[in-house]
């Protein structure tokens, strides 16, 4: 039984026991051809030192790929995709940490709210895919507490740093075109499929101060 990482249906983490390794294919900017995503043992790449807004879009993509693990952990259980308590904890935490970094807490919260919504968009898409194609359902259930959330927390820390480092760029008039270029490059680099491309688009609206 192939996992959801077969061609055209992304499954972005290294397989454990019982999972075969997904195939990879190229992605075109225009056609957005589906492809498998990067493995997740090191979910945070060394993107924070990259120029422009790439640090942000790289981390957005990394976080989106972890949505697959979140979905696999919840699918077929009584755990809902929407988790208002957990979401509030995340937003309260990043707002408090933003103040310590000298960032506007409302702006930072808006960026992270977009990340949460983008993640849920991917989860819903995967649920629909697995409902329609039972043979592609995950064969293992990742542990949210010990495996998935620590990886998300690491990305949160890196994202806060990247938001601080890109503060001037995000306030500039060139932010929107720079962000578009960075997002396209991150989509290529992570070989995002159509569902994750849609999620990446949902992750972007609050990045630029003038958007």
């Amino acid at each position: 039984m192939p996992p959801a990482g077969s061609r055209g249906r992304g499954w972005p983490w290294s397989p454990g026991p019982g999972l075969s390794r997904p195939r990879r294919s190229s992605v075109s900017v225009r056609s957005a051809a589906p492809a498998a995503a990067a493995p997740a043992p090191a979910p945070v790449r060394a993107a924070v030192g990259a120029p422009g807004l790439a640090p942000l879009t790289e981390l957005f993509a990394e976080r989106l790929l972890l949505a697959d693990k979140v979905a696999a952990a919840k699918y077929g259980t009584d755990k809902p995709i929407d988790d208002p308590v957990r979401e509030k904890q995340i937003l309260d935490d990043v707002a408090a940490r933003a103040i310590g970094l000298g960032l506007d807490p409302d702006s930072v919260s808006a960026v992270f709210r977009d990340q949460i919504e983008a993640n849920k968009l991917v989860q819903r898409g995967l649920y629909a895919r697995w409902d329609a194609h039972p043979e592609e359902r995950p064969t293992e259930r990742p542990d949210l507490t010990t495996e998935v959330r620590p990886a998300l927390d690491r990305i949160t820390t890196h994202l806060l740093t990247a938001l601080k480092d890109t503060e001037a760029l995000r306030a500039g008039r060139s932010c929107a075109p720079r962000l578009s270029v960075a997002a396209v490059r991150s989509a290529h680099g992570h070989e995002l499929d159509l569902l994750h491309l849609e999620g990446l688009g949902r992750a972007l609206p609050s990045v630029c101060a003038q958007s």
Side-chain angles (χ1 to χ4, degrees):
M1 177 186 303
S6 57
R7 187 178 298 275
R9 296 180 173 87
W11 193 250
W13 69 78
S14 295
L19 286 176
S20 61
R21 186 171 185 82
R23 291 176 289 168
R24 297 168 65 91
S25 63
S26 60
V27 60
S28 165
V29 177
R30 298 192 179 204
S31 64
V44 179
R45 295 183 177 182
V48 176
L53 296 172
L56 291 173
T57 57
E58 282 290 303
L59 291 165
F60 293 166
E62 299 273 0
R63 197 178 194 283
L64 278 174
L65 296 179
L66 282 172
D68 294 45
K69 280 196 168 186
V70 177
K74 293 181 176 181
Y75 186 75
T77 73
D78 60 356
K79 296 176 181 176
I81 290 176
D82 292 282
D83 188 349
V85 174
R86 168 71 176 170
E87 292 169 21
K88 185 177 185 303
Q89 289 174 344
I90 293 171
L91 295 176
D92 288 348
D93 174 63
V94 297
R97 293 166 70 179
I99 294 172
L101 291 170
L103 295 170
D104 175 56
D106 292 336
S107 298
V108 169
S109 294
V111 171
F112 276 90
R113 188 176 296 110
D114 285 344
Q115 306 319 302
I116 291 170
E117 293 303 320
N119 191 287
K120 292 192 293 186
L121 183 156
V122 171
Q123 290 182 57
R124 293 187 183 102
L126 289 172
Y127 274 33
R129 180 181 295 168
W130 296 336
D131 286 344
H133 301 279
E135 72 279 4
E136 296 175 4
R137 292 173 183 172
T139 58
E140 292 191 342
R141 193 178 302 283
D143 190 285
L144 278 176
T145 302
T146 63
E147 181 179 358
V148 182
R149 286 177 178 166
L152 289 170
D153 290 343
R154 287 193 295 273
I155 289 176
T156 293
T157 297
H158 284 270
L159 264 177
L160 286 166
T161 300
L163 287 169
K164 178 63 176 178
D165 291 344
T166 59
E167 186 175 14
L169 278 177
R170 293 186 294 106
R173 297 179 62 181
S174 65
C175 178
R178 285 174 178 266
L179 183 63
S180 295
V181 170
V184 168
R185 288 176 176 171
S186 293
H188 271 289
H190 291 274
E191 300 183 339
L192 301 185
D193 66 8
L194 290 172
L195 175 59
H196 292 80
L197 282 172
E198 185 179 359
L200 184 59
R202 180 62 185 87
L204 302 178
S206 299
V207 170
C208 297
Q210 299 185 14
S211 60

